[in-house]
Amino acid sequence: MRNATKLTTAVLAAGALTFGLSACGSSGSDSASDASGPLVVAASPTPHAEILNYVKENLAKKAGLDLEVKEFTDYVTPNTATEDGSVGANYFQNQPYLDDFNKKRGTHIVPVVTVHLEPLGLYSHKVRSADALKGGATIAVPNDSVNEARALKLLDANGIITLKDGVGNEATPSDIAKNPKNLTFKELEAAQTPRSLDDVDAAVVNGNYAIEADLKPASDALVLESAKDNPYGNFLAVKDGNEDDPRVKKLAKLLTSAEVKKFIEDKYAGSVLASF
């Protein structure tokens, strides 16, 4: 979950509302539900917006879809903007994150179609292998509950730590049963983890933020998530009830087309994996 202007988190909430109010000269809710207008999709810049812009520039016109891409650099505003109708859909998240978000925020966002997986990885500017991490090393991890649990599960799967039996998608460092290197965990906003690499010994970074930071997950990660049976595929999502919007159906079909699969394979070389 970036080739356009970055938006700061402080501006995003207001920006989403302003955008919704200005589009088509009506309220955000009306704009999002007007099937005769453009479908506005909120997306993380890389790779989500890049994939959407490929669709917009190469496939949408022929399919009769008027598509607009609105980029956000945080993991909150795309869902709140979809909920309040400022945008018609979003593309940036996975199922465990969405389940947690809906539960905590009272939103009603639902998945439409899964498009790709961004493998989560452990990166370092200081060591070349996970085995080389020294005792007492500091590891940066995302601070949202789902991605933090995902990061800890990655470390557990690679024998760096051992989590308590039965921990789920809300695992935190307090759920670590064994920590043989006595690692310290620094919890940061997901977007900040790659920027922390000069200040910590290693960081667990989401695939989209790794790519933005010129990290190549397929070659640079000390350890990397396996794509097999992975529940963290990223999908197109809408507010419950909007799944049958004809614009959404067109976009879902285009996002899972052979052309998009080839684009993902060619552009990301294994750092992003098509999930269809």
Side-chain angles (χ1 to χ4, degrees):
M1 322 160 220
R2 291 165 167 72
N3 54 357
T5 303
K6 305 297 188 295
L7 302 177
T8 64
T9 303
V11 172
L12 289 173
L17 179 58
T18 300
F19 182 84
L21 290 172
S22 62
C24 303
S26 62
S27 72
S29 178
D30 290 342
S31 174
S33 61
D34 180 8
S36 66
L39 177 64
V40 183
V41 183
S44 296
T46 303
H48 311 77
E50 292 175 347
I51 295 170
L52 287 169
N53 281 323
Y54 170 81
V55 170
K56 178 179 179 179
E57 294 164 9
N58 296 277
L59 306 174
K61 184 176 181 180
K62 184 177 180 180
L65 175 65
D66 187 0
L67 178 63
E68 293 185 15
V69 183
K70 182 79 170 174
E71 297 189 13
F72 296 90
T73 58
D74 74 315
Y75 282 171
V76 174
T77 315
N79 274 338
T80 56
T82 303
E83 179 75 12
D84 70 23
S86 299
V87 300
N90 68 57
Y91 174 33
F92 78 101
Q93 65 192 319
N94 56 55
Q95 191 67 58
Y97 179 83
L98 177 59
D99 290 344
D100 182 72
F101 192 97
N102 279 335
K103 179 180 179 182
K104 291 181 177 178
R105 301 262 180 165
T107 47
H108 308 83
I109 311 301
V110 296
V112 176
V113 66
T114 301
V115 182
H116 77 270
L117 171 72
E118 303 159 25
L120 198 74
L122 177 69
Y123 300 86
S124 177
H125 285 172
K126 298 178 181 178
V127 298
R128 295 186 177 182
S129 71
D131 290 341
L133 288 168
K134 297 179 180 179
T138 299
I139 311 296
V141 295
N143 66 0
D144 64 274
S145 58
V146 170
N147 280 305
E148 182 170 46
R150 186 180 175 190
L152 295 174
K153 289 180 179 180
L154 172 68
L155 300 180
D156 175 87
N158 286 275
I160 299 169
I161 61 171
T162 301
L163 291 170
K164 298 174 183 176
D165 291 340
V167 296
N169 291 323
E170 296 185 357
T172 69
S174 65
D175 294 305
I176 296 173
K178 296 180 182 179
N179 185 0
K181 289 182 179 285
N182 195 29
L183 302 174
T184 299
F185 294 92
K186 185 174 184 178
E187 298 166 305
L188 299 173
E189 183 182 351
Q192 299 297 323
T193 54
R195 302 171 199 171
S196 73
L197 283 168
D198 288 331
D199 302 317
V200 298
D201 296 288
V204 180
V205 183
N206 291 70
N208 57 324
Y209 292 130
I211 296 168
E212 181 191 35
D214 294 325
L215 296 167
K216 297 178 175 59
S219 58
D220 293 341
L222 306 183
V223 297
L224 192 66
E225 273 183 329
S226 170
K228 184 178 180 181
D229 300 322
N230 196 304
Y232 296 104
N234 283 204
F235 46 68
L236 179 70
V238 297
K239 187 174 182 178
D240 190 17
N242 292 338
E243 302 94 318
D244 291 331
D245 184 315
R247 301 168 302 170
V248 172
K249 287 187 171 183
K250 286 179 182 178
L251 180 57
K253 184 175 181 179
L254 294 177
L255 282 172
T256 53
S257 65
E259 293 90 341
V260 166
K261 185 173 184 178
K262 185 175 187 305
F263 172 77
I264 291 173
E265 291 172 346
D266 291 348
K267 183 172 181 62
Y268 301 110
S271 295
V272 176
L273 306 172
S275 297
F276 54 92

